[in-house]
């Protein structure tokens, strides 16, 4: 059964400032859905509304509905019965700048695997290997799992973060400009990975570049000042004139 | 212009660094020059063997061992109370307390940190007086009271250091735990506190040093010039301690050689605190290595 996330009538305030107004979006397995828009338009906030990461900040108020339908069961992220820790584990998140724990590569996995999933020591190794293979990092790090994660290159760190999210067996992936801090080759590598992963997970990815969006996205929502101002499908995303106009209008 | 400012700043920082080295070096050199000839087992134990003094309970009347033992006991007792309590309070304030409570408690901690140690000593002393007049007529100043007052003295440093270390962590680290589905407490204990351990250590070092050197608190709460030639025998007895003995020696010496013993004690106190610092550094580094590995 296909997984879908549907956001309906979402409003978010930070203090008195309304950051998102009446946002309706949807993203599903098999498609890569991109969020684009000028900086400060609310992309990160929208992404974080899905796994309730905005709640970490004080003074946030959220209204609306975020329904995650996974394997036929639907959870409302803002419903009374939602288990937030579980929701966040279900929605794996990768940040804009690689957010590794300042520990060894292995420990980056063992900390969440042991404490979030409660895995036993004997179950860790195979899980770590599988996750690292999924992001094509295994061959690069298998000899040095004990090395500090911060000694990896930016692209490797970002793949490590992706692997760490995957190791928790999420149902959905939320990626916040995952290639913004990377060079050309590392960017292509992550893009390639994301395209492969969309077959298994519904992916919502903030993108900082229209070029990237038209290259890999199947659908894109354009945000401006907290509102979705345009929805682009695969066909629109291959339309040079439309993209040109968007670039003029937004950036 | 810009270049000159940079150069000037670099020179000033270099001077400051060298200045610190120079002052510490000069201090140690001075202490050593006055007391090097005294440094031997005899300084500590007089004519008693160290084994008999430390393990046999033989009384040492000619040496500084009772004061060394007293200071060590004091530091251990007060840190055992203050460090865990301070770390816990710091974690609570930075991670769990509500905004208003945090403001109030932070102010209280500042007040406590600004309290002169003589006031802390007076507080302990008055508490004994109060106890005597009420339900503990037999209450008297002693080791436990002194350690408790010292703990109170260093508690705010410990709280502040922990709080600052945790609150100073980058936002990205703060977001990491919850984004992986950790509960708040898991994120605090498995990510935030370990990441802040160096800052917490610096608080512990400050506390150990403060507890080892403070004189005003202990002279009102149970330190004496001679406590029968032995280290502390129980939690309620009077005790000797290095800073107080140094103070007494400085105030009452009759000969230069007596004063030199005071300098020797100062040197010993310096070495003692330095060893405590080194010990806590190793402890923190090994905990950190285990977390990072
Ligand atoms: N933690 C926060 N506290 C207060 N305001 C915030 C916070 N996070 C984001 N904002 C505000 O919300 C708006 C949207 O931010 P964000 O979602 O990060 O935009 P984008 O990712 O599109 O650059 C900005 O005006 C920003 O200042
Ligand atoms: Mg953003």
């Amino acid at each position: 059964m296909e997984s879908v996330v549907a956001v309906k009538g979402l409003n978010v305030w930070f203090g008195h400032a309304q950051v998102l107004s009446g946002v309706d979006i949807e993203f599903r397995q098999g498609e890569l859905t991109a969020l684009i828009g000028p900086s400060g338009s609310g992309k990160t906030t929208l992404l974080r509304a899905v796994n309730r990461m905005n709640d970490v900040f004080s003074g946030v108020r959220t209204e609306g509905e975020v329904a995650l339908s996974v394997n036929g069961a639907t959870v409302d992220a803002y419903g009374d019965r939602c288990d937030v820790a579980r929701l966040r584990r279900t929605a794996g998140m990768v940040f804009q700048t690689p957010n590794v724990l300042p520990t060894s590569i292995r420990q980056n996995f063992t900390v969440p695997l042991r404490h979030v999933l409660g895995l036993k020591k004997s179950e860790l190794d195979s899980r770590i290997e599988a996750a690292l293979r999924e992001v094509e990092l295994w061959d690069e790090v298998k000899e040095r799992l004990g090395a500090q994660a911060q000694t990896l290159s930016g692209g490797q760190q970002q793949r490590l973060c992706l692997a760490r999210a995957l190791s928790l067996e999420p149902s959905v992936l939320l990626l916040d400009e995952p290639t913004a801090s990377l060079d050309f080759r590392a960017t292509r590598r992550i893009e390639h990975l994301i395209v492969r992963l969309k077959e298994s997970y519904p992916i919502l990815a903030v993108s900082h570049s229209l070029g990237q969006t038209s290259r890999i996205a199947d659908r894109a929502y354009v945000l401006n000042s907290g509102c979705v101002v345009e929805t682009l499908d695969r066909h629109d995303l291959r339309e040079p004139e439309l993209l040109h106009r968007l670039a003029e209008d937004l950036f | 212009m810009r270049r000159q400012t940079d150069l000037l700043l670099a020179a000033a920082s270099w001077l400051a660094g060298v200045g610190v080295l120079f002052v510490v070096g000069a201090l140690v050199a001075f202490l050593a020059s006055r007391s090097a000839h005294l440094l031997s087992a005899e300084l500590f134990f007089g004519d008693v063997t160290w084994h008999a003094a430390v393990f046999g309970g033989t009384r040492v009347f000619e040496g500084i061992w009772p004061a060394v033992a007293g200071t060590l006991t004091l530091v251990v007792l007060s840190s055992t109370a203050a460090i865990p309590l301070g770390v816990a309070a710091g974690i609570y304030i930075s991670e769990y307390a509500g905004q208003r409570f945090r403001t109030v408690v932070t102010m209280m901690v500042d007040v406590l940190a600004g309290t002169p140690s003589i006031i802390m000593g007076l507080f302990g002393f008055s508490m004994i007086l109060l106890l005597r007049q009420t339900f503990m007529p037999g209450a008297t100043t002693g080791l436990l009271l002194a350690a408790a007052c010292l703990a109170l003295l260093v508690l705010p440093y410990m709280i502040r250091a922990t709080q600052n270390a945790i609150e100073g962590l980058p936002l990205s680290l703060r977001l990491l735990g919850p984004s992986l589905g950790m509960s708040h407490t898991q994120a605090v204990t498995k990510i935030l506190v370990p990441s802040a351990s160096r800052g917490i250590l610096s608080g512990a070092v400050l506390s150990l040093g403060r507890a080892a050197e403070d004189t005003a608190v202990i002279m009102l709460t149970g330190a004496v010039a001679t406590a029968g030639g032995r280290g502390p025998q129980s939690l309620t007895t009077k005790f000797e301690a290095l800073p107080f003995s140094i103070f007494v020696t400085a105030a009452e010496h009759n000969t230069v050689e007596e004063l030199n013993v005071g300098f020797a004690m100062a040197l010993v106190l310096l070495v003692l605190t330095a060893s405590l610092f080194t010990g806590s550094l190793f402890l923190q580094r090994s905990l950190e290595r285990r977390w990072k590995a």
Side-chain angles (χ1 to χ4, degrees):
Chain A
M1 189 145 220
E2 207 179 59
S3 303
V4 183
V5 178
V7 175
K8 286 203 192 92
L10 186 74
N11 296 309
V12 177
W13 291 263
F14 279 113
H16 293 293
Q18 182 158 11
V19 174
L20 292 177
S21 321
V23 170
D24 296 308
I25 66 164
E26 198 177 271
F27 58 105
R28 57 182 61 246
Q29 191 172 337
E31 283 182 1
L32 180 60
T33 306
L35 287 178
I36 51 180
S39 82
S41 57
K43 306 180 297 292
T44 297
T45 306
L46 175 52
L47 197 76
R48 289 182 181 167
V50 175
N51 62 349
R52 290 186 63 165
M53 280 298 288
N54 289 325
D55 297 9
V56 173
F57 301 97
S58 56
V60 178
R61 193 156 61 84
T62 307
E63 253 178 19
E65 192 185 297
V66 175
L68 288 83
S69 305
V70 177
N71 299 326
T74 300
V75 201
D76 178 5
Y78 292 90
D80 295 336
R81 280 178 301 128
C82 176
D83 172 352
V84 178
R86 197 192 160 106
L87 170 76
R88 289 177 182 155
R89 166 156 52 93
T90 309
M93 177 162 232
V94 174
F95 293 85
Q96 182 168 347
T97 39
N99 196 353
V100 296
L101 261 184
T103 60
S104 67
I105 297 169
R106 180 186 287 111
Q107 190 79 337
N108 264 277
F109 292 91
T110 48
V111 168
L113 287 177
R114 293 188 75 156
H115 302 294
V116 176
L117 292 192
L119 291 196
K120 287 202 244 11
K121 225 175 182 161
S122 58
E123 301 167 299
L124 293 174
D125 285 351
S126 59
R127 180 76 72 116
I128 295 172
E129 179 176 343
L132 285 170
R133 280 192 190 282
E134 200 164 0
V135 300
E136 297 160 12
L137 192 58
W138 175 250
D139 289 328
E140 289 155 67
V141 302
K142 66 181 173 197
E143 305 293 344
R144 48 177 183 136
L145 291 176
Q148 292 298 298
Q150 281 159 332
T151 62
L152 296 172
S153 74
Q156 288 174 322
Q157 287 189 32
Q158 205 56 309
R159 278 184 284 148
L160 175 70
C161 293
L162 191 55
R164 186 177 60 194
L166 294 174
S167 74
L168 294 168
E169 302 191 324
S171 313
V172 174
L173 288 178
L174 305 171
L175 315 175
D176 194 352
E177 307 194 33
T179 61
S181 61
L182 304 182
D183 64 24
F184 177 77
R185 281 189 46 183
T187 297
R188 284 299 162 98
R189 192 142 189 202
I190 299 249
E191 287 178 2
H192 169 77
L193 257 171
I194 296 173
V195 168
R196 186 158 59 66
L197 287 170
K198 77 180 182 188
E199 300 307 330
S200 321
Y201 309 91
I203 299 180
L204 183 63
V206 177
S207 176
H208 60 290
S209 111
L210 272 174
Q212 178 176 63
T213 308
S214 82
R215 233 175 7 251
I216 64 171
D218 300 291
R219 181 206 288 262
Y221 293 100
V222 183
L223 255 75
N224 201 358
S225 310
C227 301
V228 174
V229 292
E230 209 146 350
T231 306
L232 310 174
D233 61 18
R234 204 164 313 168
H235 178 73
D236 301 328
L237 285 168
R238 310 289 182 270
E239 198 76 65
E241 269 172 40
L242 180 68
L243 293 177
H244 191 73
R245 178 181 61 74
L246 268 180
E248 302 261 287
D249 286 358
L250 295 175
F251 298 103
Chain B
M1 186 59 216
R2 175 81 174 275
R3 237 184 88 77
Q4 276 166 358
T5 321
D6 281 0
L7 267 175
L8 216 67
L9 206 65
S13 333
W14 183 82
L15 265 177
V18 171
V20 170
L21 270 181
F22 177 77
V23 170
V24 174
L27 182 75
V28 174
F30 172 73
L31 289 177
S33 77
R34 293 291 298 263
S35 62
H37 64 285
L38 292 171
L39 295 176
S40 68
E42 200 188 333
L43 170 72
F44 289 86
F45 305 108
D47 46 12
V48 179
T49 65
W50 71 270
H51 197 264
V54 176
F55 300 111
T58 310
R59 290 168 193 268
V60 175
F61 289 106
E62 299 292 304
I64 65 172
W65 164 247
V68 173
T71 286
L72 268 176
T73 320
L74 264 182
V75 171
V76 168
L77 279 179
S78 56
S79 332
T80 321
I83 292 178
L85 198 64
V87 171
I91 293 173
Y92 179 78
I93 294 170
S94 58
E95 288 304 312
Y96 294 92
Q99 187 58 49
R100 192 174 307 164
F101 184 78
R102 177 187 324 206
T103 315
V104 173
V105 174
T106 302
M107 211 176 70
M108 299 290 192
V109 171
D110 284 344
V111 169
L112 199 59
T115 307
S117 58
I118 187 78
I119 305 279
M120 221 61 92
L122 272 173
F123 168 71
F125 184 68
S126 340
M127 209 160 70
I128 289 297
L129 291 184
L130 184 74
L131 281 177
R132 271 179 194 243
Q133 285 157 12
T134 54
F135 45 86
M136 267 181 71
T140 146
T141 57
L143 186 63
L144 189 62
L145 179 74
C149 291
L150 279 180
L152 200 60
L153 183 75
V154 300
L155 189 63
Y157 303 131
M158 218 44 248
I159 298 177
R160 240 321 145 68
T162 307
Q163 189 187 349
N164 287 345
I166 294 179
E167 285 174 0
L169 292 173
L171 179 65
S172 59
L173 215 50
R174 214 161 260 292
L175 292 175
L176 183 56
S179 81
L180 295 170
M182 289 181 149
S183 68
H184 184 51
T185 299
Q186 281 175 332
V188 168
T189 56
K190 309 298 174 197
I191 294 183
L192 299 184
V193 172
S195 306
S197 68
R198 285 187 185 215
I200 297 176
L201 169 81
S202 70
V205 162
L206 206 63
S207 303
L208 288 171
R210 196 80 177 76
E213 61 85 30
D214 196 85
T215 324
V217 169
I218 57 175
M219 65 190 242
L220 287 171
T221 52
V224 288
T226 46
R230 288 191 293 193
Q233 297 298 303
S234 85
L235 289 177
T236 51
T237 50
K238 304 267 194 288
F239 55 90
E240 290 180 38
L242 281 172
F244 186 66
S245 300
I246 294 169
F247 166 73
V248 170
T249 309
E252 298 176 358
H253 69 276
N254 295 314
T255 65
V256 173
E257 201 52 17
E258 272 179 34
L259 186 60
N260 284 345
V261 173
F263 286 123
M265 286 195 277
L267 196 61
V268 170
L269 183 58
L270 212 62
V271 171
L272 201 80
T273 37
S275 332
L276 287 169
F277 295 169
T278 317
S280 41
L281 182 76
F282 273 111
L283 182 67
Q284 183 268 340
R285 288 297 136 87
S286 80
L287 286 174
E288 189 179 70
R289 252 200 311 283
R290 257 190 31 205
W291 179 67
K292 285 186 168 238

